Amino acid sequence: MSHSAPQPIEISASDALKGRVTVPGDKSISHRSLMLSGLAVGESRIEGLLEGEDVLATAAAMRTMGVTIERSGDGIWRVWGVGVGGLLQPGQALEMGNSGTSTRLLAGLIASHPITATFTGDASLSKRPMGRVIEPLSLMGADITASPGGRLPMMVRGMNPAVPIEYTLPVASAQVKSAVLLAGLNTPGITRVIEPVATRDHSERMLAGFGATLTVEPTNRGRVISITGEAELKPQDIVVPGDPSSAAFWAVAASIVPGSEVTIANVGLNPTRAGLFTALHMMGADITEVDPRTVGGEPVADLIVRHAPLTAIDVPPDLAPSMIDEYPVLFVAAAFAQGRSVARGAHELRVKESDRIAAMVAALGACGVVLEEFEDGLAVTGTGGDPIPGGATIASLLDHRIAMAMTVAGLHAKAPITIDDAAPVATSYPTFFATLEELQGK
């Protein structure tokens, strides 16, 4: 899954974007659907699974550990699970490509099974630190050997039976929380995660949906999530809502390109994920929710987004956990707002697929945007709706969200913007550029 041949692409200023799009299935839910279906006893069906490289890496890893996964011609994925505790010793290294979610969550699954697995990844993933998940899983008894700096390649030797722990998250991380909860599934007793700052709650919702005994209790220490181990999960029929992180690019694009009106269908609006839309509303974006509904326990709606003048804001730091993946495209929106936007409290951006703060400073700065960099965020001085200068070649740094965010920026730039490598976009949104052409009427 490594991207050997760069795929540069040039983005020029666009006429109004018009039309209706359906974004790929939610990446977080897709990963968890495959993992939990693989631990259920019997056949689960998944509709709307994101078929990007990251999720396919999860599917491949689960197959390697004995789970039968098939995709039928109607796009439905069927998974025959092996039961909690039933994962088999993989016969080869688990190749994670660019997927940090796959790596951290699967490490949690394996930590309480009597198997050993080696995780490998591409150049980008191999730079990302895994220490934050190594610590709690080691406390549960797993023997984890990582490369220098707590990086991939990494070998995880599971402990069975593992030791239940009570673990307070030192940083807001849904991946670390989920890894511990998944390890707790096959651990005798009750495993607890204390979350001082709430993060996306897909794991809690899905674990409960599959029949795990799980409680969530608000306390003065934060949310206390408790899971009872040695669970028996029941197979499910899952409908994956559209990924709000993918929808974010069209919401910002329609907001900044004059004359645009885009309907984004079936967007998951879980409140632990919808911070970007809250921030855009604060900036004056014209976003209307249509047909709000609940699908598979997740709130969903269609969004109609029309071009509107944006005004700079101070982004509330408590929004950070609910929009951590959307900051790159929020910085793009801020580049076209009236005034100086400030976004702080996003330390996590430093350890994503790239250092997304530094990456966006370099990218937007090269395109003539005035910025101030902080350790935990950015200040962006906008154009008041005018095009940015553009005319630069941008390093995507093997980061799909940098590539897509700067594509959006190029849609309202005076001179074309070149993305040095658009290939990483396939990790989360394989049809992104085709969808852009449809909205442009090409």
Side-chain angles (χ1 to χ4, degrees), residues 29 33 45-49 237-241 266 295-298 300:
I29 295 174
S33 296
R45 300 170 73 257
I46 309 171
E47 181 179 343
L49 187 85
D237 287 347
I238 300 165
V239 179
V240 180
N266 194 44
V295 177
E298 295 277 346
V300 170

Side-chain angles (χ1 to χ4, degrees), residues 25 48 59 83 164 215-216 228 241-242 250 253 299 316 318:
T215 61
V216 180
T228 301
W250 305 129
D318 59 6

Side-chain angles (χ1 to χ4, degrees), residues 7 55 62 64 66 99-100 102 133 144 174 193 196-197 242 253 263 274 285 296 349 358 360 390 393 403 414 437:
Q7 298 175 15
V55 174
M62 295 301 290
T64 302
S99 183
S102 302
V133 77
I144 302 177
V193 179
V197 178
T263 299
L349 294 179
M360 290 304 292
T393 295
K414 293 175 183 175
E437 291 190 351

